[in-house]
Amino acid sequence: MEERGSPDGDPARNLEQGPEGPETPIQVVLRVRPMSAAELRRGEQSVLHCSGTRTLQVSPPGGGPDVAFRFGAVLDGASTQDDVFRACGVRRLGELALRGFSCTVFTFGQTGSGKTYTLTGPPPQGEGVPVPPSLAGIMQRTFTWLLDRVQHLDVPVTLHASYLEIYNEQIRDLLSLGAPRPLPVRWNKTRGFYVEQLRVVEFGSLGALMELLQMGLSRRRSSAHTLNQASSRSHALLTLYISHQTPQQMPPVDAGELPAGGKLCFVDLAGSEKVVATGSRGELMLEANSINRSLLALGHCISLLLDPQRKQSHIPFRDSKLTKLLADSLGGHGVTLMVACVSPSAQCLPETLSTLRYASRAQRVTTRPQAPRPPKVKPPQHLETELLQLQEENLHLRSQLGQMDPKASGLSGARAAWAQRNLYGMLQEFMLENERLRKEKKQLQSSRDLAHGEQRILAQQVRELERRLLSACYLQQPGPGPAPPCPCVMVPPLLCHVFGSKAPGDWPLSARPPPWAPPCCPSSAKCSRERSRSEWTQTQVLAEMLTKEKVMPSAPPLPAGPLNASPVLRGGAAVPNLARRLEALRDQIGTSLRRGRSQPPPR
Ligand code: ADP
Ligand code: MG
């Protein structure tokens, strides 16, 4: 029965290539250590069998069903340290660190399962005795590979290292000059969690780095218990900082500040242990408890990271120093490789199954590796000047906008403030203003039409009065000449009707002459036909003389009064003019008639 599969395809492809998208799964590699001499002596059986390069079969004693697990790579007890180094994919992480990514390799598993051995080889045989090269672990091999790689790069690279351990929930600097003292873990936005005052040592050769490693290993806490003669009692983190020093990049100003660039961190976790199995007492039990607690916090974070709703859920990285320092590797922007270590012994089966399940879950955890930011290039001098000028202009315009009187612009209170805040607001205000003006224009047009109508009626009346005036004048002309126009012909039937309220004689009302009209002469039937054109011109001139102006109707000029005045009043302003003219004409007609009765009018 196969319990878990690798989340994605070919392990070689996954291990040798860079991050391929926003979500990159944690790579998990399994290492099975060989049966120890003590285990063989006790006659313990192996329950683990590798099938192929990626699958591990677990055969429980007593004939239970086999359980299979798949990982990026599975390395059995016969694998050499070099096999592990080549298969685990740490070189890919080294390449990514050189490109500026933050990468982490950590070993995980039960105590005595070979974590420290896998990372740094067997414990030193004595003070100052180096580990034989064939047994050197992933770390020493990576150091050798990396320094060789750096020498063949085109750009100069600066390398730094730090080494710390978390012992009983306290951080101790393994490279400190004096005796290690507890250091605080801090957090900020750019660096995330970091250890304050941690010594970061620059190194330039493999030898110098190996010395730093030896120094840290020798200071690290370890104790002997029944399962491991040199059991690590702390979690250890060795970090390499790789920075490409381009002309634009400056070295860190503060001595405590870490150099910008890629990171490659090796984490050797203290193993989980059953206090009963290890027989730990007193201080050992205290250490075991604190190790187990921090591993439990790590397990809890991984479980939550696997939650599909993880974006909503809070990951309690702050629960332990270990999870704080691994936060970026587990759920952040780092690239992570886990080397799970297990013992093949049937005695360790429960812990082995627990590690295998845990590791299977971890390979479904994804991170979002962040591409390194290109170094900040200083803008050329002229661009900088231009930028400064634009900033000044911007400030000036802003201050002008701030000084604008909202009342003067026709806006008020909050609306004005809003309109000033953005151009969109100003545009809205203009649109509203336009709408208002459009309405006003429409009102003015309707009042003008109204005035035109009134003007037309009045002009008609004026014309009639002029006709009547001319008729009256004509009648007063003495001596021989053409017959005057007959009033009953000149005055339209409507006016006859209007002016003659009482109809004298038997004439139909419409044909009757006005009361003031003289009686028609006997030859008046054909008088209109005989009238000459020059006489008509003469009468028009006379009318104009009387009115002192042209009698053609025209549109009244629009008043220059306030815009908000009533349109009716405005349109009606033309009416008094016409009414006055009408009144004047009436007076003139009356005067002419009176004069006509007493004396002949002047020619
Ligand atoms: P852990 O760090 O997981 O507690 P260690 O790495 O200290 O365990 O290993 C426990 C013991 O087993 C050590 O003595 C170590 O030398 C030995 N050991 C572990 N893995 C191997 C291996 N692959 N080959 C040979 N010896 C190993
Ligand atoms: Mg160890």
Side-chain angles (χ1 to χ4, degrees):
M1 184 180 75
E2 189 158 302
E3 188 164 290
R4 280 283 185 261
S6 175
D8 46 15
D10 177 18
R13 185 182 66 91
N14 290 326
L15 296 176
E16 297 307 327
Q17 289 183 358
E20 293 154 12
E23 300 278 323
T24 299
I26 290 180
Q27 281 298 321
V28 180
V29 170
L30 182 77
R31 184 177 200 190
V32 184
R33 75 157 166 77
M35 293 285 277
S36 70
E39 285 166 339
L40 288 172
R41 261 200 316 275
R42 290 196 292 267
E44 291 172 19
Q45 296 293 310
S46 170
V47 287
L48 306 180
H49 312 280
C50 296
S51 57
T53 54
R54 297 180 59 197
T55 309
L56 180 82
Q57 298 275 349
V58 182
S59 312
D66 279 12
V67 182
F69 292 87
R70 269 171 80 83
F71 297 100
V74 172
L75 296 138
D76 63 12
S79 307
T80 64
Q81 293 282 68
D82 197 48
D83 292 339
V84 176
F85 169 71
R86 290 181 187 285
C88 72
V90 69
R91 283 175 296 175
R92 166 182 166 259
L93 264 71
E95 290 289 357
L96 291 170
L98 283 170
R99 281 163 50 192
F101 286 90
S102 174
C103 306
T104 308
V105 184
F106 70 97
T107 49
F108 175 80
Q110 182 197 3
T111 185
S113 60
K115 298 182 294 296
T116 306
Y117 183 91
T118 301
L119 274 183
T120 52
Q125 297 304 302
E127 187 79 20
V129 180
V131 175
S134 62
L135 298 180
I138 289 176
M139 278 167 76
Q140 292 96 326
R141 286 165 201 274
T142 308
F143 295 167
T144 311
W145 170 84
L146 184 74
L147 285 174
D148 181 58
R149 184 81 181 76
V150 160
Q151 275 178 357
H152 293 97
L153 288 176
D154 296 334
V155 282
V157 167
T158 312
L159 297 164
H160 291 78
S162 68
Y163 203 178
L164 62 86
E165 71 172 350
I166 306 168
Y167 175 74
N168 281 346
E169 272 305 279
Q170 279 189 350
I171 289 177
R172 290 157 31 104
D173 190 347
L174 294 174
L175 302 183
S176 66
L177 295 171
R181 56 192 172 88
L183 298 178
V185 179
R186 305 254 186 254
W187 183 91
N188 75 24
K189 217 175 172 183
T190 46
R191 291 172 67 179
F193 288 106
Y194 66 98
V195 179
E196 201 173 56
Q197 294 167 14
L198 183 68
R199 184 167 175 235
V200 179
V201 184
E202 186 176 346
F203 63 91
S205 67
L206 179 62
L209 179 57
M210 291 298 189
E211 271 179 33
L212 292 173
L213 174 67
Q214 283 308 315
M215 182 181 174
L217 283 175
S218 63
R219 294 171 92 175
R220 192 179 168 191
R221 297 288 185 107
S222 67
S223 307
H225 57 70
T226 45
L227 288 183
N228 191 349
Q229 284 306 299
S231 173
S232 328
R233 310 309 286 167
S234 66
H235 309 296
L237 283 82
L238 185 144
T239 309
L240 300 180
Y241 307 89
I242 306 159
S243 51
H244 297 265
Q245 205 159 8
T246 55
Q248 286 83 23
Q249 272 182 328
M250 302 299 286
V253 181
D254 179 8
E257 197 184 327
L258 297 178
K263 252 177 14 177
L264 184 55
C265 180
F266 298 89
V267 184
D268 183 13
L269 294 178
S272 58
E273 64 180 64
K274 278 185 182 166
V275 178
V276 182
T278 53
S280 300
R281 299 275 182 277
E283 196 184 359
L284 274 182
M285 198 165 90
L286 190 80
E287 287 167 3
N289 284 340
S290 97
I291 292 165
N292 287 346
R293 215 178 309 126
S294 60
L295 288 175
L296 209 68
L298 179 65
H300 187 45
C301 287
I302 290 181
S303 299
L304 288 173
L305 285 166
L306 285 168
D307 181 1
Q309 302 292 315
R310 92 182 209 203
K311 276 167 190 104
Q312 282 90 50
S313 66
H314 163 72
I315 312 291
F317 287 119
R318 286 178 185 272
D319 278 5
S320 75
K321 299 254 166 68
L322 176 68
T323 44
K324 278 180 185 176
L325 297 183
L326 289 183
D328 199 44
S329 313
L330 294 173
H333 304 300
V335 185
T336 304
L337 166 68
M338 176 198 264
V339 182
C341 298
V342 287
S343 159
S345 169
Q347 298 295 312
C348 298
L349 186 59
E351 284 79 18
T352 299
L353 280 174
S354 160
T355 301
L356 291 171
R357 291 203 176 100
Y358 201 86
S360 289
R361 295 173 78 187
Q363 63 189 345
R364 284 187 287 133
V365 173
T366 56
T367 57
R368 297 175 195 81
Q370 201 166 55
R373 291 191 197 98
K376 270 193 178 174
V377 180
K378 209 170 177 285
Q381 185 63 42
H382 73 277
L383 282 181
E384 222 172 340
T385 320
E386 208 170 313
L387 190 74
L388 275 172
Q389 280 172 353
L390 283 172
Q391 276 174 346
E392 254 176 53
E393 193 183 327
N394 194 355
L395 264 174
H396 179 66
L397 289 172
R398 267 172 198 277
S399 73
Q400 277 191 339
L401 204 64
Q403 283 163 11
M404 257 174 66
D405 181 9
K407 279 173 197 156
S409 64
L411 309 174
S412 63
R415 269 185 77 77
W418 174 76
Q420 280 177 8
R421 261 202 306 279
N422 54 43
L423 275 176
Y424 180 73
M426 285 168 81
L427 187 68
Q428 292 263 308
E429 285 302 323
F430 283 131
M431 281 164 71
L432 287 174
E433 182 75 13
N434 274 358
E435 192 54 38
R436 220 164 31 235
L437 287 171
R438 237 175 261 138
K439 266 188 200 160
E440 208 163 325
K441 189 179 149 196
K442 220 169 156 188
Q443 281 181 335
L444 285 172
Q445 274 171 346
S446 73
S447 74
R448 190 192 62 188
D449 292 347
L450 204 76
H452 276 177
E454 283 179 46
Q455 199 183 19
R456 258 197 309 279
I457 294 166
L458 285 168
Q460 234 175 354
Q461 289 185 7
V462 168
R463 271 201 303 279
E464 285 313 318
L465 284 169
E466 282 169 356
R467 262 184 224 158
R468 284 160 61 183
L469 177 65
L470 286 174
S471 301
C473 292
Y474 210 93
L475 286 172
Q476 290 164 24
Q477 275 188 339
C486 179
C488 66
V489 176
M490 287 177 71
V491 178
L494 174 71
L495 280 172
C496 286
H497 174 74
V498 170
F499 287 105
S501 53
K502 269 191 170 183
D506 299 320
W507 287 13
L509 196 66
S510 60
R512 279 173 212 158
W516 43 268
C520 213
C521 61
S523 60
S524 66
K526 51 176 183 176
C527 62
S528 62
R529 265 179 282 126
E530 289 165 0
R531 218 169 286 134
S532 71
R533 185 170 281 278
S534 64
E535 285 167 346
W536 282 112
T537 316
Q538 195 183 4
T539 52
Q540 192 172 351
V541 170
L542 181 63
E544 283 172 8
M545 274 170 62
L546 283 167
T547 56
K548 298 264 194 305
E549 54 186 301
K550 279 266 181 199
V551 291
M552 295 293 286
S554 64
L558 283 174
L563 283 177
N564 58 356
S566 155
V568 177
L569 273 177
R570 258 184 270 146
V575 178
N577 285 341
L578 284 168
R580 270 200 298 280
R581 269 172 64 188
L582 195 60
E583 200 55 42
L585 280 169
R586 272 202 193 108
D587 286 351
Q588 284 173 351
I589 292 165
T591 316
S592 299
L593 285 174
R594 276 195 301 280
R595 233 189 272 151
R597 273 195 286 276
S598 57
Q599 57 177 50
R603 299 203 70 163

